[in-house]
């Protein structure tokens, strides 16, 4: 019993070009609470505070202490907690004996007292902070425990090499989830994305230090919604196909590079799950000459697996098939589906935003302006209101009437541009009304997930990517298994 009911939908174009080499599918996973199952998953949290010397200025350390104290207050009784203070080394602040403490009134008071007593010193080595958190989580290594770390940093990871950080991330992958926050201006968005993509967390910019307390409180509340600690995407591939990549596409884009063979399946870790919907792009490669023409082939069988209380993995969804057919006419191009096209365009938008941020940081203004214009055009075409709003906040019309980066844009705003490039879901801004046959307005909603789009002319759902004009398949309606 997992406490969540998982439903998997596979949307894959059936036809493959005669001389094509790639087959793609969009896999939408919906997790819903199970009626009658009161789920209270054991949660272990490690809070990681940056106390490097750069935190001493502008009241940042005081605001960070306030944020960590607010996070401790937000933890419910019975949660396991540990606190790490990081500079060029990592120190366990609480509990004094190491390991993890059980939250109650006394533990909260002691934890906050130890947080308040920290002083700024030293440099920044985030990998050592994460390794220390991993050691603390060893006290909660039992299967079925949600292990969730949260860190903030105001600086770059300057006191260790990228290779050292990478080694730590590899050792921590699939052991705990980690959210990361960039505080102020002088941090590196690429480092935070590297951490959160490897550890299935969420990265955000907190440009104003006084906003950190509210952010940490929300993060703790979200962590306590998690029901299933570890979920895996199981792929059983036809021998004529090989895995190209798996990418999470909603609500945040993330490259999922960790994968392990588990029997005759490839298991891709998907992190911890609360009730929510996520979407993934699965891309397969093949030699066209190995496929018979005009014959239905099951390229892959896709099943979700959840970690059980005894540490084993068991299927938690019905298997869905990715069925394809190689066309017999050479040179006949097969257009991708509208949903896949949108996902590819969203990926291109994210790349343009990151290229803009990178060029601006290097002082390459013309290139930054060029990438900015590409990003704005894509955001407008996609009607991505959230990312378009962010792009316009850092731009101004130049003498030629074309958008260019504001010359007074802060470094923190540029870092936010890089981080938010991966966000593919915008919350609805207002209800969209379309006239009905009798002349009255009706709310237009996604036929698949019920989300109201944020613009009147939207063609695709911002939450799940489904066409707003398409019908909804019957429940569980992925492609039928090939016989």
């Amino acid at each position: 019993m997992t406490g969540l009911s998982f439903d998997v939908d596979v949307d894959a174009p059936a036809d493959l070009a005669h001389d094509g080499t790639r087959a793609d599918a969009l896999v939408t996973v919906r997790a819903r609470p199970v009626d009658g199952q009161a789920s209270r998953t054991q949660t272990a949290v490690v809070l990681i505070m940056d106390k490097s010397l750069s935190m001493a200025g502008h009241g940042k350390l005081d605001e960070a202490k306030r944020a960590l104290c607010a996070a401790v207050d937000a933890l419910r009784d019975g949660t396991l907690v540990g606190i790490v203070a990081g500079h060029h080394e990592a120190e366990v602040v609480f509990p004094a004996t190491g390991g993890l403490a059980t939250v109650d009134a006394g533990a909260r008071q002691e934890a906050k007292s130890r947080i308040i007593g920290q002083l700024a010193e030293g440099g920044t080595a985030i990998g050592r902070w994460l390794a220390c958190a991993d050691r603390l989580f060893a006290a909660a290594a039992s299967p079925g425990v949600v292990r969730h770390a949260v860190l903030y940093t105001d600086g770059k990871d300057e006191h260790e090499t990228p290779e050292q950080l990478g080694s730590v991330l590899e050792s921590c992958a699939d052991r705990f989830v980690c959210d990361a926050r960039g505080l102020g201006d002088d941090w590196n968005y690429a480092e935070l994305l590297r951490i959160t993509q490897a550890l299935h967390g969420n990265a955000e910019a907190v440009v104003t230090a006084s906003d950190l307390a509210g952010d940490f409180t929300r993060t703790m509340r979200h962590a306590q919604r998690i029901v299933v600690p570890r979920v895996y995407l199981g792929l059983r591939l036809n021998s004529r196909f090989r895995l190209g990549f798996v990418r999470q596409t909603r609500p945040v884009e993330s490259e999922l590079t960790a994968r392990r063979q588990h029997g005759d399946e490839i298991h891709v870790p998907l992190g911890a799950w609360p009730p929510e919907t996520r979407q993934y792009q699965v891309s397969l490669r093949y030699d066209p000459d190995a496929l018979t023409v005009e014959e239905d082939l099951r390229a892959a069988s896709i099943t979700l697996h959840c970690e059980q209380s005894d540490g084993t993995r068991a299927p938690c969804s019905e298997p869905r098939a990715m069925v394809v057919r190689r066309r017999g006419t050479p040179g006949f191009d097969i257009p991708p589906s509208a949903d896949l096209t949108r996902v590819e365009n969203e990926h291109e938008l994210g790349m343009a935003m990151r290229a803009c941020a990178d060029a601006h940081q290097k002082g390459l203004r013309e290139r930054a302006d060029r990438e900015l214009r590409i990003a704005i055009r894509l955001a407008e075409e996609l009607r991505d209101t959230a990312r378009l709003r962010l792009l316009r906040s850092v731009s101004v019309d130049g003498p030629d009437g074309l958008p260019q980066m504001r010359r007074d844009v802060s470094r923190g705003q540029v870092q936010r541009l890089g981080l938010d490039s991966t966000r593919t879901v915008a919350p609805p801004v207002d209800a969209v009304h379309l006239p009905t046959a009798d002349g009255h307005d009706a709310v237009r909603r996604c036929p698949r997930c019920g989300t109201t789009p944020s613009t009147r002319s939207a063609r695709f759902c911002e939450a799940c990517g489904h066409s707003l004009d398409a019908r909804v398949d019957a429940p569980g309606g992925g492609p039928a298994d090939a016989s």
Side-chain angles (χ1 to χ4, degrees):
M1 304 289 279
T2 65
L4 290 179
S5 172
F6 288 92
D7 177 61
V8 176
D9 176 62
V10 177
D11 179 11
D15 290 331
L16 303 177
H18 181 82
D19 52 356
T21 60
R22 172 175 168 176
D24 287 74
L26 291 180
V27 179
T28 302
V29 180
R30 299 176 189 84
R32 300 181 178 91
V34 177
D35 291 340
Q37 284 192 26
S39 179
R40 179 59 69 88
T41 307
Q42 175 66 65
T43 301
V45 173
V46 173
L47 302 173
I48 304 175
M49 62 182 298
D50 179 351
K51 69 166 195 174
S52 60
L53 195 57
S54 59
M55 287 292 297
H58 307 292
K60 284 189 291 186
L61 187 57
D62 289 339
E63 289 294 344
K65 291 176 181 179
R66 188 169 70 89
L68 262 74
C69 289
V72 169
D73 283 335
L75 295 174
R76 64 185 171 218
D77 284 357
T79 302
L80 301 175
V81 65
I83 301 170
V84 173
H87 42 84
H88 54 277
E89 298 291 346
E91 303 172 0
V92 178
V93 172
F94 177 82
T97 55
L100 299 170
T102 301
V103 172
D104 58 22
R108 286 192 188 90
Q109 189 60 40
E110 183 181 353
K112 290 189 288 185
S113 176
R114 291 183 178 274
I115 289 168
I116 292 169
Q118 297 304 304
L119 300 175
E121 59 178 328
T124 303
I126 299 175
R128 296 181 186 178
W129 310 352
L130 294 170
C132 183
D134 191 33
R135 292 191 294 272
L136 293 184
F137 279 130
S142 302
V145 176
V146 173
R147 297 185 285 272
H148 194 124
V150 184
L151 71 83
Y152 71 86
T153 182
D154 77 327
K156 306 177 192 68
D157 194 34
E158 295 179 327
H159 290 82
E160 63 186 357
T161 66
E163 292 75 19
Q164 288 172 319
L165 175 60
S167 178
V168 172
L169 292 176
E170 185 176 352
S171 67
C172 294
D174 201 31
R175 293 170 63 83
F176 62 91
V177 170
C178 183
D179 293 331
R181 300 294 183 259
L183 183 63
D185 287 345
D186 198 29
W187 45 278
N188 186 332
Y189 83 84
E191 290 175 350
L192 296 195
L193 285 181
R194 184 184 185 192
I195 292 165
T196 54
Q197 290 194 3
L199 303 182
H200 298 281
N202 172 268
E204 291 191 15
V206 183
V207 177
T208 304
S210 59
D211 293 336
L212 189 62
D215 177 273
F216 264 41
T217 300
R218 289 188 296 273
T219 301
M220 290 300 96
R221 289 173 179 161
H222 180 268
Q224 291 168 152
R225 293 181 60 243
I226 294 173
V227 178
V228 181
R230 277 160 288 283
V231 178
Y232 302 86
L233 184 69
L235 304 171
R236 183 178 285 111
L237 302 185
N238 183 305
S239 61
R240 286 170 280 186
F241 293 82
R242 63 187 185 278
L243 184 59
F245 65 83
V246 179
R247 176 185 300 137
Q248 180 174 304
T249 58
R250 304 186 191 286
V252 175
E253 189 175 278
S254 178
E255 302 294 336
L256 304 181
T257 57
R259 60 191 67 154
R260 291 181 178 85
Q261 198 69 31
H262 196 84
D264 58 354
E265 282 186 315
I266 298 170
H267 278 200
V268 181
L270 303 182
W273 278 70
E276 68 178 18
T277 298
R278 301 179 195 173
Q279 185 185 67
Y280 303 89
Q281 182 179 3
V282 176
S283 186
L284 306 182
R285 301 292 183 269
Y286 61 90
D287 177 359
D289 293 334
L291 306 187
T292 307
V293 298
E294 303 297 348
E295 178 185 359
D296 284 351
L297 292 172
R298 186 188 305 173
S301 179
I302 301 172
T303 310
L304 282 190
H305 299 261
C306 293
E307 182 182 80
Q308 304 299 298
S309 58
D310 61 357
T312 61
R313 300 175 192 175
C316 55
S317 75
E318 293 296 323
R320 300 294 180 214
M322 178 179 173
V323 180
V324 297
R325 182 191 312 108
R326 182 190 178 204
R327 303 302 296 180
T329 306
F332 186 73
D333 205 19
I334 306 294
S337 71
D339 287 353
L340 273 170
T341 298
R342 179 176 178 85
V343 163
E344 294 287 358
N345 289 341
E346 287 176 332
H347 181 60
E348 186 178 346
L349 168 57
M351 290 193 297
M353 292 173 69
R354 291 188 292 279
C356 175
D358 292 344
H360 188 273
Q361 291 184 98
K362 295 175 182 176
L364 305 175
R365 289 187 174 183
E366 290 185 5
R367 181 177 176 183
D369 292 344
R370 185 166 61 251
E371 296 291 349
L372 173 73
R373 291 163 193 156
I374 293 172
I376 288 177
R377 174 180 58 79
L378 287 167
E380 288 176 340
E381 291 174 356
L382 289 164
R383 298 179 175 87
D384 190 326
T385 55
R387 286 192 282 188
L388 183 58
R389 188 181 304 114
L390 176 59
L391 288 162
R392 286 176 173 163
S393 74
V394 299
S395 66
V396 66
D397 287 345
D400 56 1
L402 298 175
Q404 65 180 31
M405 289 290 285
R406 284 182 15 230
R407 299 314 181 216
D408 64 343
V409 66
S410 71
R411 192 177 189 282
Q413 290 174 303
V414 175
Q415 298 304 308
R416 187 194 296 274
L417 185 68
L419 276 192
D420 286 3
S421 68
T422 63
R423 299 189 183 283
T424 54
V425 170
V429 176
D430 53 11
V432 179
H433 298 275
L434 295 178
T436 60
D438 60 5
H440 294 91
D441 282 353
V443 176
R444 190 184 187 202
R445 292 187 174 89
C446 173
R448 173 183 282 174
C449 70
T451 297
T452 301
S454 59
T455 60
R456 185 183 301 272
S457 56
R459 295 168 52 220
F460 298 93
C461 175
E462 293 168 315
C464 71
H466 193 65
S467 171
L468 295 176
D469 299 315
R471 69 177 183 86
V472 182
D473 293 333
D481 283 355
S483 57

